[in-house]
Amino acid sequence: KKKFIEVSTNISKAPLHYFYNAKINKTGFEDYDLLLKKSLAPLDQSQIEEHVKQGAQVIDVHPPSTPQVYIGAVYFPPPILEDYIGHLIKPETPIIIATEIPKSSEEIIQRLLQIGYHNILGYLNKPYTDDSISASLYKPSRISVQDFKSSFNPTKDLIIDVRRPDEWKAGHLKDAEHYPLSDFSSPPNLDPTVKYFIHCRTGGRSLAATIILNNLGFINVTSIDGGTLEMEKHEIEFVK
């Protein structure tokens, strides 16, 4: 019993799509090829805006190296898409895919269909370099580890660590607070007068968390590029 408790202590709560998939396993899936065909609908700006008004959620999936993000989107770096979308987006939610290059949308849609996200309305039909969508993009605040070291004021600023509980327990910044990205379906209640620095292991999850908080109106939030891996190179101290 003690060993079971130790092994299961750091397991995250089940993603929302687990329960949804269990339900549709009983009622039956739609034909995959039909779902894919329906989901691969190119959408222009006006169509996306209309869908969003009716409750659709834009999902932006691209590498953290891309500086721009679709305004109002929930952002996922490609490697963590399946791991975290199930904690933040209900599988019944109508979804629109935005990527920096439209042709990469098909792969993202296929990945989502395979884990039970079947209500995909289509994808943005323009690349981020197209001037016609520039007004729908913004650059979330980001900072290098070196600049963070020189600008962080522990008497005024706060750090939020969005890594998993096991990562936090292995070592964390002395002044940090812990709030895993998987819990951001109920984001932390921030003080809008305080400056927050968000970090993870490499910078992808912290950028996702920063964008969620931006969507909620918090603008004093900055993602630390490179995360703890880069901090180790700069000899920043961690505690347990």
Side-chain angles (χ1 to χ4, degrees):
K1 181 179 178 181
K2 181 180 178 182
K3 188 173 182 180
F4 173 78
I5 293 173
E6 289 175 354
V7 170
S8 61
T9 297
N10 292 318
I11 296 177
S12 300
K13 61 184 179 182
L16 298 170
H17 60 76
Y18 279 22
F19 305 104
Y20 181 75
N21 286 343
K23 179 180 178 181
I24 60 178
N25 275 335
K26 295 180 179 179
T27 59
F29 290 85
E30 285 187 60
D31 180 85
Y32 177 83
D33 290 334
L34 291 177
L35 277 172
L36 180 60
K37 184 177 180 181
K38 182 176 67 174
S39 303
L40 288 173
L43 302 173
D44 60 29
Q45 277 298 95
S46 61
Q47 290 173 306
I48 292 175
E49 290 170 4
E50 188 57 36
H51 282 310
V52 169
K53 287 178 183 177
Q54 296 175 13
Q57 175 63 61
V58 178
I59 305 296
D60 190 328
V61 184
H62 63 252
S65 56
T66 300
Q68 296 172 305
V69 179
Y70 198 92
I71 294 173
V74 178
Y75 167 72
F76 297 96
I80 72 165
L81 176 62
E82 287 87 348
D83 292 336
Y84 282 92
I85 191 171
H87 294 289
L88 303 175
I89 307 290
K90 294 180 179 179
E92 306 96 318
T93 304
I95 288 173
I96 297 165
I97 306 301
T99 60
E100 58 180 333
I101 304 172
K103 68 180 181 181
S104 61
S105 298
E106 182 170 356
E107 179 199 347
I108 301 302
I109 289 170
Q110 289 175 333
R111 289 167 62 181
L112 291 175
L113 289 176
Q114 289 168 4
I115 60 170
Y117 284 81
H118 294 168
N119 197 5
I120 301 173
L121 305 178
Y123 63 92
L124 175 64
N125 67 351
K126 300 285 186 182
Y128 284 4
T129 53
D130 193 296
D131 291 340
S132 67
I133 67 162
S134 60
S136 296
L137 305 174
Y138 86 106
K139 294 181 180 180
S141 178
R142 303 166 69 163
I143 193 170
S144 68
V145 169
Q146 186 172 356
D147 288 342
F148 162 72
K149 282 183 66 177
S150 62
S151 64
F152 174 67
N153 185 339
T155 64
K156 295 181 179 180
D157 307 331
L158 290 175
I159 305 168
I160 298 178
D161 183 335
V162 298
R163 296 177 300 159
R164 301 186 311 269
D166 59 307
E167 294 175 292
W168 166 266
K169 290 179 181 178
H172 56 268
L173 297 178
K174 180 181 66 174
D175 298 306
E177 297 179 2
H178 186 224
Y179 205 100
L181 178 61
S182 57
D183 290 343
F184 266 65
S185 56
S186 299
N189 187 20
L190 304 187
D191 182 342
T193 66
V194 173
K195 186 171 185 178
Y196 292 87
F197 292 95
I198 316 293
H199 87 84
C200 60
R201 181 172 179 268
T202 61
R205 285 173 290 178
S206 63
L207 184 58
T210 296
I211 291 165
I212 289 173
L213 294 171
N214 287 166
N215 290 342
L216 293 173
F218 295 104
I219 58 174
N220 252 354
V221 183
T222 298
S223 176
I224 303 175
D225 286 342
T228 56
L229 289 184
E230 193 66 24
M231 292 176 190
E232 290 170 359
K233 297 177 185 177
H234 288 77
E235 299 181 344
I236 293 179
E237 183 182 359
F238 294 87
V239 297
K240 293 186 179 180

